[in-house]
Amino acid sequence: MVEEIPVVSVENLTKRFPGVAALDGVSLEVRPGEIHAVLGENGAGKSTLAKILYGIYSPDGGRILIEGHEVSIASPRDAMKLGIAMVSQRPQLVEELNVAENIALSLEEIGILTSMKRVYEYSHKLVERFGLDVDVTKPVWMLSYTQKQMVELLRALAIEAKLLILDEVTTYLPKIVKKKLYGILKSLKFEGRGILFITHKIGEALDLADRITVLRRGKVVATFTRGSVDGDALRKAMFGERYAPQNEIVKKAPQRFEEKSVLNVEGLVVLGDHGELAVNSVSFNIRRGEVLSIAGIAGNGQRELVEAIAGFRKPVKGRVLFEGVDISREPPFKRALMGLAFIPEDPFKQGVAVDLSLAENMALKLVGKMFITFEESVEVARKAIDTLSIAAPSVRTPVGTLSGGNVQKVVVARELMAQPRVLVAYNPTRMLDEASASKVRRMIRSLADKGAAVLLISEDVEEAVELGDRVAVMSRGQIVGLFSAGSVNVEMLEKLMAE
Amino acid sequence: MEPITQMLDNVFSPLTLAMVLMVLGDIVVEHSGVLNIGIDGVVALSVALSFALSLTTNDPVLVFALVVLAAIAVALVVSLIVNVFVASHVLTGLAVGFACYGLGSIAALPHLGRSAGVHPTLHWYWVLGVSVVLALAVWYMLYYTKLGIAIRASGNNPYAAEALGIHVWRIRTLALVAGYSLIALGGAIYELGYIGIWSQGLGVGRGWLALSLAIASMWHPLAALGITAVYSYVETSMWALQLAAGIPAAVINAMPFLTALGIVVAVHATPVKKRVSPPRALGAEYFREERTA
Amino acid sequence: MLRVVLVRRELGRRTYAVLMGSSAVLSILVSIVVVALASSMPPQTLLFKVGESYANLNTLRYFSTLTIIGLGLTVAYSAKLWNIGAEGQLVVGAIGATAVALFTPLGHIPVLGIVVGLILASLLGLLWGLAAILLKLKLGLNEVLVTLLLNYIAYYTADYLVYGPWRGIYVHGYPETDLIPQESWLLRVYGYSFSYPVLLTALILVVLVYMVMKFTRLGIAIRAYGSNPRAVELSGISSFRTAVAAFVISAALAGLAGGFELFAVHRKLVPGYKIGAGLGYISIIVAWLSGLNPLLVPLSAYYVSGLMVFRYVLQIGTVNIGDAFAQFFIGIALLSTLATSSLARYKIKVVRS
């Protein structure tokens, strides 16, 4: 029996980021002619694995072998030289150049002075061979999101890679296109290439893969072969055991809410950075004192949704109403002045001014006067520090030097101390330790009890269920389920999220 | 025939060739994403240096070669500071510019009062030929070769370019070296082929003119050829124009800048924007390790 | 294969200050060496002359103007808005001041004429900057390019005026206006080229700008804008208005300086490049060398002013290479500052791949 040498195999791969082990001793292999799915929820490490193989990150430990030889991959260029191509959810193309030019950049055999005529011919042939509907002379910015993804695929195919990595590419693709993609993948299989298919959708993994490896919290849970596993088993592997039994339904005292809602979202349609339909007609209402949680795996439109509600992204259709007033076109600062608070996902990039001190960041929002004395800004800073036990050497050091969790606490404190009437919180406890996270959840609950309307978007399903008076699930830019808290459990939600 | 050859002499004067070289050089540099604020310094330096060198040697080829070499040195410094040190393009350009002003003057001041030792004669057909060939070459390179695509990719989206396999630092260094060589040749021709003498401050402002003309032509080599030729004609005929139309010299001087401003505003205010626009990452600090794919 | 890799890092304030200080000293030494080689003047003489220049009270003439403009630029640069147009804003300020002094009866009224002239000067500078920032915020135009172009348009506007409609009657063909009325002169200290009112204004502005940037909502918002415009919006403050404010403050101060140049230095309008004299560009370096700290602007302004005076002293035979040396030195100083502040943010490693 001839032993097949895997196209790529990783042994004991480890990658650490400050405070978290993204990959912890992961081993898997992709055989020639195999579609190998990597399944996992947020933070499982699947994207990290892909980026290491493509040279964007370098591993802290472990080995990578290509066709049995150990290699080190320092950049995407190296990866491509080794025969690895990657397509991710966000197209990495130069928009001002046309399709053929983008493809030309990746092709080794096109020398620096080669005429473009050959490139155009080659690109035409590729398009025909795979039956893709794309005009290679068109500048990329003119293409739709789907077409851009097709171009990305084309580019990956052009370099005749041994291993094709697809990182969550199907989330926003229409069904027809997905079918076409599957067809292409199957023909690549016949050519003996390896495909690493990264997804959080169980159905896709079951449809396509020869083998499925499930990752959770940076570790391999198990590798299954086709036919030996079903959706439920995969889900259990993906999400694992919770400290509360998954099928328990947490009973909550039924709440009575006023009829009129404070925050209305009507038919909201929002485009992503590359033209994709990130939010595909979403509607909901939140009443005074109510918490609406939206659960879902990252990359399904949550970011674009909160940005549209907070005012940092313009919707192409639909409205956002604040106490009956249409704020869809208002700039964020006006919404803030009206009483809308926003806890963004990335406190460094979106929440605070990293060069300013803690005191100044707090004072800017919370001290409403023109002249702000030093004492006043220190006072609000102290209050924040006390409330959330923020570990800061001094209120005057630049906020950017604090750890992620502490910066998140600063943002939470600042937004909550402003006594908002509507709070939009996106993963407010993601970087926090358990104790602080509990504290924040209690603060959010008490804010709602005092009459605020809260929209909580959380990738932590348990948190969504614990805090929400109603819970929804967001998938592929739409709300696919809306339940009152007493009628749903974590397992049901996970099922919807991974569909 | 006389008046026609006279006009051709004016349209395709050594000034035209000098300006075309500078503008094309600037276009190459800026397409790669480097905001070329150092251009005025390089021009002033090459003007002064070519003057000084022409008085120490009579070989025109040697003079040009040395001036180009000096410009390449400056290009390498700019590349180092902008790429490796990730400094602001603007400040780097200003700093290099000031240093170049100073260096050039220091080299040329000892020879103040003499006239240049090298006087290449540049007939109009020569100027026309070289300008057209050069513009076509730059155009072809930028839009029909992989090198040109790599340059334009670096100037539009260096992060994507890197993910696609381009070594952005290397490409930008190449563009800087090539571009500055052209600019320096332009400066040398301006001094030796057009002015012939030197005074402190000669050439200062020429670089900004070239920059403005590059902007006005939306960084397209062929458009640049046309616009630069027209501008040079206007400048050389300035006095005649003044008498004929009574337009104050100041207005004529301001024309390239006003035109450049007008064109940039017009392009950004209309849907034309995406079709013809400045390189999107022009002037943006590129921190290579921060890739987000 | 070797690769150069940058890694972000944080340096303590003390280390950073030491680095900046040593780069400043190093720049002086490098430049002195270069000039000594070029001029065959012994380094000791050179150093002595440098010292002489710094001790000369005429530095205050440059100091005042550079401080005023430099302060304004620290405001704009704190918001990461690259106002390169101080030169043009200065020129239009001078134009405005000339208009009041020469073409209104106020020109003959002491004090009032100057005050109104300065107000108009600041206003025109402000408008010149407003055009650029609006084009950036509304159309996405690169403010560096726009302000640079506007500089030249300002130069030629002044040129047009002094060669044309405003050309003086008593100037015998020179491209300049008549002298402004005596009542509109800001008097200089006897024997020197600087003026107390300008100096005083500069010093007051140092304190004022510092207080505004540190202790007012606007100042904090401006600095926050430079760090993260979103944080400004989340705090309930319009980032648009904040950006405009930062930019026009710097433009207005440059215009004010232009007014002062007219009343205290030139006393008539001259061609653009002479009125500006590159001071607008040099102020950029002054602002940068001060690390965008208003309290340090006087220091960096003085550092550069000494150089400006030194120019007149540096003779080689009959040729004055002072300007050249000053320019070269400023370039080197800025380059080493750039390299130093980069080293403060990133560590440069060479790795094998």
Side-chain angles (χ1 to χ4, degrees):
Chain A
M1 206 174 72
V2 180
E3 206 174 80
E4 268 184 333
I5 304 178
V7 172
V8 71
S9 105
V10 298
E11 293 175 8
N12 237 315
L13 211 58
T14 310
K15 176 70 186 167
R16 259 177 278 276
F17 291 115
V20 64
L23 283 182
D24 194 359
V26 167
S27 300
L28 63 70
E29 58 176 32
V30 181
R31 301 186 188 132
E34 171 187 34
I35 297 182
H36 193 127
V38 176
L39 196 60
E41 57 154 351
N42 302 305
K46 32 191 216 306
S47 247
T48 310
L49 173 65
K51 289 180 182 166
I52 289 180
L53 285 172
Y54 197 53
I56 295 173
Y57 294 150
S58 53
D60 295 318
R63 308 199 302 161
I64 305 174
L65 296 109
I66 309 276
E67 288 179 335
H69 306 289
E70 184 168 351
V71 296
S72 123
I73 309 176
S75 69
R77 214 178 139 108
D78 283 354
M80 287 195 276
K81 281 209 183 100
L82 289 167
I84 302 177
M86 181 164 98
V87 182
S88 52
Q89 199 181 74
R90 293 185 240 152
Q92 281 284 300
L93 299 169
V94 182
E95 303 239 331
E96 287 73 14
L97 300 179
N98 66 33
V99 176
E101 290 170 331
N102 270 280
I103 293 177
L105 285 176
S106 305
L107 293 175
E108 274 293 302
E109 64 261 26
I110 306 242
I112 214 88
L113 286 173
T114 311
S115 120
M116 279 304 287
K117 206 167 76 120
R118 281 185 51 202
V119 177
Y120 282 107
E121 282 169 8
Y122 185 73
S123 312
H124 272 304
K125 270 201 228 118
L126 261 184
V127 168
E128 276 165 21
R129 180 169 151 210
F130 290 102
L132 296 171
D133 173 33
V134 162
D135 177 3
V136 299
T137 60
K138 261 203 174 150
V140 169
W141 60 265
M142 278 184 152
L143 304 177
S144 70
Y145 171 77
T146 308
Q147 287 174 313
K148 284 181 199 168
Q149 285 293 58
M150 292 291 101
V151 172
E152 275 283 54
L153 191 61
L154 215 51
R155 197 184 57 77
L157 296 171
I159 69 177
E160 310 262 335
K162 298 190 192 109
L163 174 72
L164 178 64
I165 306 175
L166 297 168
D167 187 1
E168 308 263 22
V169 297
T170 54
T171 316
Y172 296 115
L173 292 181
K175 281 209 171 57
I176 311 175
V177 180
K178 260 201 284 193
K179 282 223 161 27
K180 178 160 239 138
L181 176 65
Y182 290 1
I184 294 176
L185 293 180
K186 294 213 167 91
S187 78
L188 289 177
K189 259 183 66 159
F190 283 129
E191 291 176 14
R193 307 187 194 280
I195 296 166
L196 193 63
F197 189 82
I198 297 182
T199 181
H200 62 268
K201 303 291 186 196
I202 293 176
E204 287 176 6
L206 285 173
D207 279 342
L208 265 183
D210 298 305
R211 288 192 296 164
I212 304 175
T213 295
V214 180
L215 289 184
R216 191 172 75 230
R217 294 206 200 289
K219 291 195 166 66
V220 172
V221 175
T223 300
F224 305 98
T225 46
R226 162 176 236 123
S228 76
V229 72
D230 69 350
D232 284 320
L234 285 176
R235 193 168 37 250
K236 273 211 178 64
M238 257 178 89
F239 294 103
E241 299 296 328
R242 308 284 180 168
Y243 60 80
Q246 283 151 289
N247 49 8
E248 178 181 299
I249 294 182
V250 182
K251 291 262 188 278
K252 281 213 183 108
Q255 299 260 42
R256 312 195 95 251
F257 297 108
E258 303 173 0
E259 280 312 309
K260 228 172 57 161
S261 35
V262 176
L263 182 68
N264 290 68
V265 171
E266 296 174 357
L268 209 59
V269 176
V270 185
L271 292 183
D273 294 331
H274 302 276
E276 72 270 27
L277 249 148
V279 177
N280 192 356
S281 195
V282 162
S283 305
F284 55 79
N285 306 325
I286 310 183
R287 296 158 290 188
R288 277 198 73 204
E290 179 180 21
V291 176
L292 172 64
S293 300
I294 299 187
I297 297 183
N300 280 287
Q302 297 95 322
R303 182 170 69 102
E304 290 80 1
L305 177 64
V306 288
E307 285 184 350
I309 297 177
F312 291 108
R313 199 178 276 264
K314 274 210 178 58
V316 293
K317 258 201 225 149
R319 304 196 300 168
V320 178
L321 299 167
F322 184 120
E323 289 178 348
V325 177
D326 185 349
I327 60 168
S328 320
R329 300 266 172 266
E330 298 288 357
F333 83 93
K334 281 234 178 90
R335 305 185 197 202
L337 287 173
M338 287 170 77
L340 187 148
F342 177 39
I343 300 176
E345 183 188 31
D346 183 347
F348 288 97
K349 290 214 184 95
Q350 298 156 359
V352 294
V354 289
D355 298 320
L356 264 55
S357 72
L358 202 164
E360 287 172 325
N361 269 287
M362 301 292 298
L364 193 60
K365 178 160 186 146
L366 300 170
V367 179
K369 300 152 47 199
M370 194 164 82
F371 296 102
I372 303 179
T373 66
F374 189 61
E375 289 75 31
E376 284 166 334
S377 55
V378 169
E379 195 191 313
V380 284
R382 287 255 151 255
K383 241 195 260 172
I385 292 181
D386 291 337
T387 330
L388 280 174
S389 327
I390 303 177
S394 132
V395 294
R396 292 158 68 174
T397 48
V399 150
T401 59
L402 300 178
S403 75
N406 282 306
V407 178
Q408 180 139 60
K409 288 186 198 178
V410 171
V411 177
V412 172
R414 184 189 68 195
E415 295 300 303
L416 292 180
M417 277 165 73
Q419 310 282 39
R421 298 215 292 283
V422 172
L423 172 69
V424 177
Y426 187 10
N427 283 335
T429 62
R430 188 165 70 116
M431 295 185 192
L432 303 180
D433 58 274
E434 254 320 296
S436 308
S438 301
K439 185 105 204 271
V440 169
R441 288 183 201 128
R442 269 178 280 143
M443 287 169 77
I444 294 179
R445 184 74 250 170
S446 88
L447 184 73
D449 290 340
K450 290 205 202 101
V454 177
L455 174 64
L456 172 71
I457 308 238
S458 180
E459 284 154 24
D460 179 348
V461 186
E462 288 171 5
E463 175 176 79
V465 172
E466 180 189 326
L467 274 179
D469 296 306
R470 285 188 294 158
V471 184
V473 172
M474 191 159 182
S475 175
R476 301 186 208 277
Q478 298 184 308
I479 303 278
V480 294
L482 178 57
F483 313 93
S484 69
S487 67
V488 74
N489 63 23
V490 169
E491 188 184 340
M492 290 163 65
L493 295 172
E494 286 169 352
K495 203 169 181 173
L496 280 173
M497 283 158 60
E499 230 150 56
Chain B
M1 278 311 272
E2 272 305 309
I4 300 185
T5 40
Q6 179 66 33
M7 210 189 87
L8 284 169
D9 262 326
N10 282 341
V11 176
F12 297 106
S13 64
L15 177 67
T16 308
L17 181 58
M19 295 302 294
V20 165
L21 281 164
M22 293 182 210
V23 175
L24 287 176
D26 182 65
I27 286 178
V28 171
V29 170
E30 295 204 315
H31 263 294
S32 79
V34 178
L35 190 58
N36 197 8
I37 301 292
I39 187 174
D40 205 46
V42 175
V43 170
L45 174 65
S46 50
V47 163
L49 204 58
S50 57
F51 170 72
L53 285 171
S54 73
L55 291 168
T56 32
T57 162
N58 274 329
D59 185 358
V61 174
L62 190 59
V63 171
F64 285 122
L66 288 175
V67 170
V68 167
L69 225 62
I72 290 179
V74 176
L76 291 174
V77 169
V78 172
S79 172
L80 179 72
I81 305 280
V82 165
N83 286 330
V84 178
F85 286 89
V86 195
S88 141
H89 296 211
V90 174
L91 294 172
T92 307
L94 283 175
V96 164
F98 269 99
C100 286
Y101 290 153
L103 271 177
S105 294
I106 292 178
L109 274 168
H111 306 281
L112 195 62
R114 302 167 63 184
S115 49
V118 170
H119 300 276
T121 29
L122 301 160
H123 295 289
W124 65 266
Y125 42 84
W126 209 82
V127 168
L128 173 60
V130 172
S131 304
V132 169
V133 166
L134 222 65
L136 283 172
V138 171
W139 173 68
Y140 186 78
M141 186 273 290
L142 278 177
Y143 294 96
Y144 290 97
T145 67
K146 187 175 177 191
L147 173 63
I149 296 172
I151 290 177
R152 288 186 296 128
S154 304
N156 273 304
N157 189 344
Y159 296 98
E162 198 91 43
L164 289 170
I166 299 296
H167 200 290
V168 171
W169 285 0
R170 258 185 238 162
I171 294 289
R172 284 186 171 176
T173 306
L174 200 60
L176 276 165
V177 165
Y180 275 32
S181 305
L182 288 175
I183 295 173
L185 281 173
I189 292 196
Y190 176 73
E191 165 60 26
L192 301 174
Y194 187 64
I195 303 281
I197 52 173
W198 191 83
S199 59
Q200 187 158 31
L202 183 70
V204 170
R206 274 287 141 194
W208 302 133
L209 258 173
L211 190 70
S212 307
L213 291 172
I215 299 173
S217 52
M218 275 285 124
W219 292 272
H220 193 283
L222 298 179
L225 178 62
I227 292 182
T228 308
V230 169
Y231 168 75
S232 306
Y233 174 60
V234 170
E235 187 182 326
T236 44
S237 330
M238 194 161 71
W239 301 115
L241 259 180
Q242 241 200 311
L243 290 170
I247 305 175
V251 173
I252 296 190
N253 282 333
M255 282 315 285
F257 303 100
L258 279 168
T259 317
L261 188 59
I263 291 184
V264 170
V265 171
V267 162
H268 278 260
T270 67
V272 163
K273 183 173 182 176
K274 278 275 198 163
R275 286 193 168 277
V276 184
S277 59
R280 193 152 54 106
L282 184 60
E285 288 167 35
Y286 170 56
F287 180 45
R288 191 156 165 265
E289 310 320 310
E290 223 165 50
R291 289 164 300 204
T292 47
Chain C
M1 231 206 32
L2 294 175
R3 268 179 63 214
V4 177
V5 170
L6 295 173
V7 178
R8 276 202 197 270
R9 68 164 169 199
E10 288 291 335
L11 266 192
R13 275 224 287 218
R14 215 166 284 167
T15 328
Y16 185 65
V18 166
L19 263 176
M20 291 290 276
S22 27
S23 94
V25 170
L26 200 68
S27 315
I28 298 188
L29 292 176
V30 164
S31 311
I32 289 189
V33 165
V34 167
V35 175
L37 287 172
S39 70
S40 58
M41 202 188 285
Q44 307 96 286
T45 325
L46 221 61
L47 269 170
F48 178 69
K49 286 196 185 281
V50 169
E52 230 181 18
S53 307
Y54 274 93
N56 188 333
L57 282 178
N58 281 327
T59 52
L60 293 174
R61 169 257 182 287
Y62 294 104
F63 172 82
S64 317
T65 305
L66 292 176
T67 299
I68 295 176
I69 307 180
L71 284 170
L73 291 178
T74 62
V75 175
Y77 295 166
S78 296
K80 291 215 172 65
L81 295 170
W82 308 117
N83 181 2
I84 310 296
E87 183 85 355
Q89 288 142 19
L90 188 162
V91 170
V92 298
I95 293 177
T98 310
V100 170
L102 276 184
F103 302 113
T104 70
L106 290 168
H108 292 278
I109 306 177
V111 180
L112 188 63
I114 295 177
V115 169
V116 173
L118 290 176
I119 293 177
L120 186 60
S122 309
L123 197 61
L124 286 184
L126 185 153
L127 290 174
W128 210 245
L130 186 65
I133 187 68
L134 285 181
L135 284 174
K136 176 190 168 86
L137 292 176
K138 294 278 187 192
L139 295 180
L141 284 181
N142 186 330
E143 72 273 25
V144 173
L145 291 171
V146 173
T147 49
L148 201 60
L149 293 177
L150 284 175
N151 281 349
Y152 277 83
I153 296 176
Y155 272 177
Y156 294 124
T157 308
D159 283 4
Y160 166 72
L161 291 170
V162 299
Y163 277 95
W166 286 12
R167 189 177 224 153
I169 314 173
Y170 306 104
V171 297
H172 310 297
Y174 281 105
E176 52 191 44
T177 63
D178 286 323
L179 281 176
I180 62 180
Q182 287 262 349
E183 294 87 352
S184 286
W185 288 25
L186 272 174
L187 296 177
R188 298 183 207 143
V189 172
Y190 188 73
Y192 293 102
S193 57
F194 73 94
S195 167
Y196 278 134
V198 187
L199 183 59
L200 204 61
T201 310
L203 295 175
I204 293 177
L205 281 172
V206 171
V207 177
L208 216 62
V209 171
Y210 173 71
M211 305 279 288
V212 166
M213 292 304 281
K214 257 299 185 142
F215 296 115
T216 63
R217 202 147 182 253
L218 176 65
I220 299 178
I222 289 177
R223 285 185 291 126
Y225 183 90
S227 178
N228 186 353
R230 280 203 179 190
V232 174
E233 290 275 335
L234 285 180
S235 304
I237 302 172
S238 162
S239 56
F240 179 85
R241 287 182 216 162
T242 306
V244 172
F247 210 85
V248 299
I249 287 176
S250 68
L253 284 177
L256 177 69
F260 278 130
E261 287 287 301
L262 181 80
F263 290 128
V265 178
H266 300 276
R267 277 93 179 247
K268 60 188 170 193
L269 192 63
V270 289
Y273 74 93
K274 265 208 187 132
I275 271 266
L279 292 174
Y281 292 114
I282 294 177
S283 303
I284 297 175
I285 289 151
V286 167
W288 213 256
L289 287 177
S290 74
L292 299 186
N293 181 347
L295 292 178
L296 292 181
V297 168
L299 205 65
S300 61
Y302 179 63
Y303 181 60
V304 174
S305 304
L307 227 63
M308 302 265 93
V309 172
F310 179 54
R311 287 180 306 172
Y312 297 111
V313 160
L314 204 56
Q315 300 273 97
I316 303 173
T318 50
V319 168
N320 180 297
I321 67 166
D323 264 325
F325 171 72
Q327 286 167 334
F328 177 69
F329 173 70
I330 288 177
I332 296 294
L334 190 54
L335 273 178
S336 69
T337 311
L338 288 174
T340 316
S341 52
S342 169
L343 285 174
R345 282 176 297 149
Y346 310 107
K347 200 179 346 192
I348 300 178
K349 295 198 305 193
V350 182
V351 293
R352 286 195 182 287
S353 85

